[in-house]
Amino acid sequence: MKKYFIIFFLTFIVALPDCYAQYNVGTTGLLNMPTADMQRDKTVLIGGSFLDKHTSPARWHYDTFNYYFNITLFPWLEVAYDLTLFKALPYPDGHWVPRTYGKFVNQDRNFAVRIRIWKEGDWKWWMPQIVIGGNDAIHNSVSGNKIKPIKGYGNGFQNRYYLVLTKHFDWEGIGQLGAHLSYVYNERSDYHINAPAVGADLKFNVLDTNERLSWQKVLNGLDVMMEFYPANNQGVSDLKRKYGKEPSRGQHLGIWDINIGGSYSFLGDKINLYSEFYGCRYFSGGVMFKLHLK
């Protein structure tokens, strides 16, 4: 327990305000849920992560890794390409060669797109920013490459579509609070999602009156994140039926899993470290390199 507390403390002592990337799918967001935040125009993200099995869709009932490339082409358009590693295991209906069991032998490809349809503060100050998007949005080897929800088990394991609203509130003397509300949807039989997701993050910006290194300088940039993300209930049931084991969800509230995490940026926001505790319990983490092309 002491070890997890130390990791948790180090996770939250370091973060930077403009880090918005979801390390697990390579797009902008909190931890697992999307947000309506957008990267700066012509921003390139390159990263990779260790993913605990609870963070990934039902297909990964083991810990894995991913790597991704992301670019914000325009202030309103972001695209990403994410690859998640497959491990060869003796599935009941498996097709891997026995000598490859336990090794990473393949990778799943996930193309993602995000489009901003309303900018925060336009028309009225209280208007939130609105973004629509999707992961594995056009790839389905079973029914062809069509832009539609993937039904059945098939490919497109990361498939989801969403509409998300984000509003920021300045907290004088403390920082900025971001509130995020999303609706996430897909029709996969093993990882069906059809529910809202709610999240918040607090970016500290405390005035520093001391030129020497002080607690204000350490606190500034801290981004505390929490989200309530739809649970992978059908995926958990599928794992129990096929493999005889059912992973714990950790902390949850009804159909939502409660996740917390943070990030750390250095070298002028060029290198970013991320971590998450899925269900407030299971650790994942990654590193992301950020480049601004203009």
Side-chain angles (χ1 to χ4, degrees):
M1 184 66 184
K2 183 178 180 180
K3 177 181 68 175
Y4 288 113
F5 176 81
I6 293 174
I7 297 175
F8 179 84
F9 177 79
L10 292 177
T11 295
F12 283 99
I13 199 171
V14 287
L16 198 78
D18 53 356
C19 297
Y20 296 114
Q22 287 179 272
Y23 63 86
N24 61 330
V25 289
T27 59
T28 300
L30 289 184
L31 303 167
N32 296 274
M33 74 166 286
T35 71
D37 292 312
M38 297 292 289
Q39 304 290 335
R40 200 172 85 190
D41 189 17
K42 303 300 186 296
T43 296
V44 175
L45 310 178
I46 302 173
S49 313
F50 161 77
L51 303 176
D52 178 85
K53 62 186 177 182
H54 298 82
T55 303
S56 303
R59 176 60 178 78
W60 286 270
H61 59 286
Y62 50 83
D63 300 338
T64 187
F65 299 87
N66 78 332
Y67 58 100
Y68 54 83
F69 175 84
N70 176 306
I71 183 169
T72 301
L73 296 170
F74 306 101
W76 49 269
L77 176 63
E78 173 189 337
V79 295
Y81 190 63
D82 165 58
L83 299 103
T84 305
L85 303 187
F86 277 134
K87 183 181 290 186
L89 294 175
Y91 303 106
D93 54 352
H95 54 275
W96 301 113
V97 178
R99 62 182 172 80
T100 65
Y101 287 169
K103 301 178 182 179
F104 290 107
V105 296
N106 205 345
Q107 53 193 1
D108 176 67
R109 292 168 290 277
N110 162 26
F111 173 76
V113 60
R114 291 165 37 85
I115 300 173
R116 187 184 70 195
I117 60 177
W118 193 275
K119 187 177 180 180
E120 182 176 1
D122 279 2
W123 185 50
K124 298 290 185 179
W125 68 267
W126 47 265
M127 286 293 296
Q129 186 148 291
I130 304 175
V131 164
I132 58 173
N135 297 89
D136 259 352
I138 61 174
H139 183 68
N140 181 5
S141 63
V142 175
S143 61
N145 293 333
K146 299 179 180 179
I147 302 177
K148 67 177 185 179
I150 295 174
K151 298 182 179 181
Y153 184 70
N155 206 333
F157 300 108
Q158 303 276 5
N159 179 243
R160 66 175 183 176
Y161 301 93
Y162 54 82
L163 170 70
V164 56
L165 287 71
T166 290
K167 180 62 182 175
H168 296 97
F169 303 92
D170 291 327
W171 190 351
E172 186 175 357
I174 301 296
Q176 186 181 70
L177 175 67
H180 316 280
L181 173 63
S182 176
Y183 197 87
V184 190
Y185 175 79
N186 75 21
E187 290 189 1
R188 287 191 62 87
S189 62
D190 63 337
Y191 185 39
H192 182 53
I193 307 176
N194 187 16
V198 180
D201 67 308
L202 178 60
K203 303 178 181 69
F204 288 92
N205 186 21
V206 181
L207 295 178
D208 183 11
T209 58
N210 191 338
E211 293 183 0
R212 301 177 62 186
L213 181 63
S214 62
W215 66 270
Q216 290 102 330
K217 292 183 178 180
V218 175
L219 186 62
N220 283 344
L222 174 65
D223 190 357
V224 180
M225 304 177 188
M226 174 177 284
E227 65 182 20
F228 294 76
Y229 193 73
N232 182 9
N233 288 325
Q234 287 183 273
V236 168
S237 300
D238 183 64
L239 288 177
K240 185 176 182 180
R241 175 179 62 82
K242 296 186 70 174
Y243 308 108
K245 55 184 177 181
E246 181 175 310
S248 169
R249 288 169 51 194
Q251 298 298 317
H252 59 275
L253 179 64
I255 67 170
W256 293 276
D257 290 329
I258 305 174
N259 310 315
I260 55 177
S263 62
Y264 172 57
S265 178
F266 55 96
L267 293 182
D269 194 29
K270 291 182 175 63
I271 302 178
N272 302 271
L273 303 179
Y274 294 88
S275 59
E276 173 193 8
F277 287 89
Y278 191 93
C280 301
R281 180 177 179 183
Y282 302 102
F283 173 80
S284 295
V287 58
M288 182 196 72
F289 301 92
K290 181 183 291 189
L291 303 173
H292 300 295
L293 301 183
K294 72 170 188 177

